[in-house]
Amino acid sequence: MPQSRQIVVHPDVRLHTVSRYLYGHFAEHLGRCIYEGIWVGEDSPIENEGGIRLDTVRALKELELPVLRWPGGCFADNYHWMDGIGPRSERPRRHNLWWNQPETNEFGTDEFAAFCRMIGAEPYICLNVGSGTVEEARSWVEYCNSSQPTDLVRLRRDNGSPEPHNVKFWGIGNENWGCGGNLRPEHYADLYRRFATYVRGTAGADARLIACGSHPGIPEWDERFLAAMNGALHLVDYIALHIYSGGGTSDTEFADEDYYGLIAAIDVMDRNIARAAGLAKACDPQEHRIGLVLDEWGTWYKEATVPTGLCQQNTMRDALFTAAGFHCFHRHADRLFMTNMAQTVNVLQALVLTQGPEMIVTPTYHVYEMFRPHRDGRLVACEVDGPTLSLPGGGERGAISASATRSEDGGGLFLSVVNLDLENAITATVRVVGEGEWRVAQVRRLAGQDIRSHNTFEEPEAVRPEAIRVESEAPLETMEFPARSVTTIRLDRAG
Ligand code: AHR
């Protein structure tokens, strides 16, 4: 039996802006993400431009990802950037310590910058603090961004990149409480002060410096780090959280209970972001705002192990988690500036999967694509009156997750609605209240046959969004949101 409820959107009650960077991504030298997923080499039979595979480029370009974080992850604190520049045949071969695989260094800084240009994303580079030096980090910044007549700039030119790469986002290490050195927050803060001083000095005032923050198991890290930064907090533009969800469950062979467990994990993200946001606000130095980024998030199932290169499948469960996760991020966007899902191709909650010359996109990809109009919009008030779901662990949450944004010019309104209930369709009255009238311009839906539905190389379009026919120029009224579905509704001003 469908249950009757309502969603009320208030386009005139404008809240904060939803930064486009909330829709960022992350690609690491891990498994088949970079090598095979992005880089195939110039001699590959797979269609490529300068060694970068073009099917992946086309798929990602379509998403207009705003930013891409690289080269890690744990790999970052064991990466020496000079290994990855110059003639490829002369680059050293190394061992990728954390992911136990060879590293040819064929894909380095200039290839990463080229890839970002091809897909239209801004680069975000994570520096090596754990095993690197301040001078190594500083010189990487100079190589990337300087136009001065220096030897490093000449080197970049000789390597085929006459123009600076203009990298704005610089991470000062990754997970320095773990693979990035197993440091105490106070020691990390002392290193951060040194690294940030020279990185900022070289990159200039426009650079944005990102500090390693906590994961949900060590919330005290943030507080101790920020306390130890007292007097130099102006060097911290953002503090970066990492939150993975879904651990211990299977990618496709999961129970309904596992699905609801993953939905409960959105509340874990919510609480951790709220906690860190409160802390950052309390620590803001004069005339400086410490923002938050979540530069690793997403699902991590039991199939994703080091021997499998952290590869896992991606179902409608991932899509619903992503969509409701974005709604959570929208609510926190007054402090939360960027998120980077892990990882772009073939690793963890990937957007794209490849198998030799073949490539498919995942249900998660479709959510990124469907939610594009939210980017840089103003969040507007959206009230939901709907049924509740009981979650494992005793919690509860609304079965409907909804979020609405209004374009900066005020002319477009975009509403996304997720029905998280696995069994029940929800029929809701959707009302837009306030000045003027709004008409439905487009409705799209992602549902799949089942919560376990996913795309395969044999059936690449098993899950894909469909356009829902609406009477042209119809006002919004009652809509049915099928069980386990993501719906987007674009509205334009009437008249
Ligand atoms: O994304 C996989 C790994 O997860 C990253 O390298 C690390 O930062 C995190 O622990």
Side-chain angles (χ1 to χ4, degrees):
M1 263 287 277
Q3 311 177 39
S4 209
R5 301 292 194 227
Q6 71 169 347
I7 298 169
V8 185
V9 182
H10 301 265
D12 302 324
V13 183
R14 300 187 201 199
L15 308 167
H16 45 259
T17 297
V18 169
S19 151
R20 85 181 75 151
Y21 295 102
L22 291 183
Y23 290 85
H25 234 273
F26 165 43
E28 177 171 10
H29 289 236
L30 196 179
R32 296 180 300 116
C33 181
I34 298 292
Y35 297 109
E36 186 180 322
I38 292 171
W39 177 262
V40 288
E42 283 164 313
D43 299 333
S44 171
I46 297 172
E47 191 190 4
N48 71 84
E49 191 177 305
I52 294 172
R53 68 184 291 166
L54 286 176
D55 49 3
T56 298
V57 167
R58 284 188 209 102
L60 296 177
K61 195 172 174 188
E62 175 73 21
L63 289 191
E64 300 175 272
L65 292 176
V67 63
L68 187 66
R69 177 177 185 248
W70 173 84
C74 292
F75 180 77
D77 284 82
N78 190 40
Y79 180 59
H80 300 284
W81 71 272
M82 285 236 170
D83 288 349
I85 58 166
R88 277 185 213 106
S89 58
E90 293 169 23
R91 296 185 194 177
R93 288 179 73 88
R94 308 274 186 214
H95 181 64
N96 181 332
L97 179 66
W98 298 111
W99 309 116
N100 195 25
Q101 60 189 91
E103 172 55 57
T104 63
N105 281 304
E106 283 176 51
F107 190 90
T109 304
D110 297 302
E111 289 79 12
F112 171 62
F115 179 61
C116 286
R117 279 194 298 274
M118 286 163 89
I119 64 169
E122 286 180 52
Y124 163 11
I125 289 182
C126 185
L127 297 164
N128 178 350
V129 170
S131 70
T133 65
V134 175
E135 178 49 21
E136 183 183 18
R138 193 212 61 76
S139 60
W140 198 0
V141 177
E142 181 182 324
Y143 181 86
C144 287
N145 284 7
S146 179
S147 307
Q148 299 290 324
T150 71
D151 285 358
L152 282 169
V153 171
R154 185 175 44 75
L155 191 57
R156 188 188 70 224
R157 291 206 172 108
D158 292 349
N159 290 339
S161 300
E163 299 304 324
H165 295 319
N166 295 325
V167 182
K168 182 170 168 187
F169 300 108
W170 293 95
I172 311 292
N174 169 77
E175 295 193 353
N176 301 91
W177 36 258
C179 60
N182 279 307
L183 306 177
R184 290 173 302 107
E186 292 76 16
H187 185 181
Y188 173 66
D190 285 343
L191 290 175
Y192 186 96
R193 287 165 181 260
R194 288 185 64 214
F195 275 75
T197 300
Y198 296 94
V199 169
R200 165 72 40 84
T202 308
D206 288 343
R208 290 287 164 266
L209 308 189
I210 300 171
C212 161
S214 65
H215 69 80
I218 51 164
E220 70 283 359
W221 170 278
D222 300 323
E223 200 168 348
R224 286 175 57 184
F225 166 70
L226 288 169
M229 285 299 296
N230 197 17
L233 284 164
H234 60 282
L235 290 172
V236 183
D237 293 311
Y238 303 102
I239 184 153
L241 309 180
H242 286 184
I243 308 179
Y244 286 98
S245 312
T249 71
S250 163
D251 53 2
T252 56
E253 307 279 310
F254 55 88
D256 289 356
E257 189 75 353
D258 296 334
Y259 159 76
Y260 286 115
L262 184 64
I263 297 310
I266 296 169
D267 295 336
V268 174
M269 290 201 289
D270 191 54
R271 283 197 298 276
N272 273 281
I273 295 167
R275 173 196 54 77
L279 191 62
K281 192 170 175 195
C283 293
D284 277 347
Q286 251 190 343
E287 292 174 26
H288 184 73
R289 196 176 156 84
I290 300 172
L292 289 186
V293 308
L294 176 59
D295 63 11
E296 289 188 28
W297 76 284
T299 56
W300 189 325
Y301 302 126
K302 64 182 182 192
E303 287 77 6
T305 58
V306 174
T308 66
L310 266 54
C311 192
Q312 64 186 28
Q313 246 304 353
N314 191 301
T315 66
M316 270 305 297
R317 171 172 64 155
D318 295 81
L320 297 179
F321 170 73
T322 304
F326 280 134
H327 290 172
C328 163
F329 302 157
H330 290 182
R331 287 194 296 279
H332 289 291
D334 54 337
R335 272 284 150 174
L336 184 66
F337 173 75
M338 181 194 291
T339 84
N340 310 75
M341 184 179 267
Q343 298 192 4
T344 315
V345 193
N346 292 331
V347 168
L348 295 174
Q349 196 178 344
L351 298 171
V352 165
L353 298 173
T354 66
Q355 181 179 275
E358 294 175 282
M359 186 220 74
I360 57 173
V361 301
T362 63
T364 300
Y365 174 98
H366 290 306
V367 175
Y368 271 78
E369 186 275 315
M370 290 170 74
F371 275 37
R372 274 182 310 180
H374 275 313
R375 300 180 195 175
D376 289 333
R378 279 288 281 278
L379 190 70
V380 299
C382 178
E383 296 169 275
V384 176
D385 169 23
T388 50
L389 295 173
S390 302
L391 300 175
E396 276 196 341
R397 70 165 294 149
I400 301 178
S401 170
S403 185
T405 50
R406 191 168 174 177
S407 58
E408 270 308 329
D409 66 9
L413 187 60
F414 189 68
L415 170 66
S416 47
V417 180
V418 190
N419 179 359
L420 294 164
D421 194 319
L422 284 185
E423 302 295 335
N424 301 300
I426 299 172
T427 300
T429 308
V430 184
R431 292 196 300 127
V432 182
V433 299
E435 275 179 36
E437 272 189 45
W438 296 86
R439 300 278 169 181
V440 180
Q442 188 191 48
V443 179
R444 297 173 77 207
R445 178 160 299 141
L446 188 73
Q449 293 291 311
D450 185 88
I451 189 66
R452 293 163 195 83
S453 297
H454 56 276
N455 294 334
T456 62
F457 294 94
E458 293 70 42
E459 210 185 336
E461 300 206 338
V463 181
R464 61 166 185 182
E466 51 175 348
I468 305 295
R469 281 171 65 92
V470 281
E471 235 178 79
S472 138
E473 302 274 291
L476 261 183
E477 278 174 11
T478 301
M479 290 187 83
E480 183 178 289
F481 298 99
R484 43 154 187 77
S485 65
V486 180
T487 304
T488 57
I489 305 167
R490 195 162 61 74
L491 298 119
D492 293 333
R493 275 276 196 206

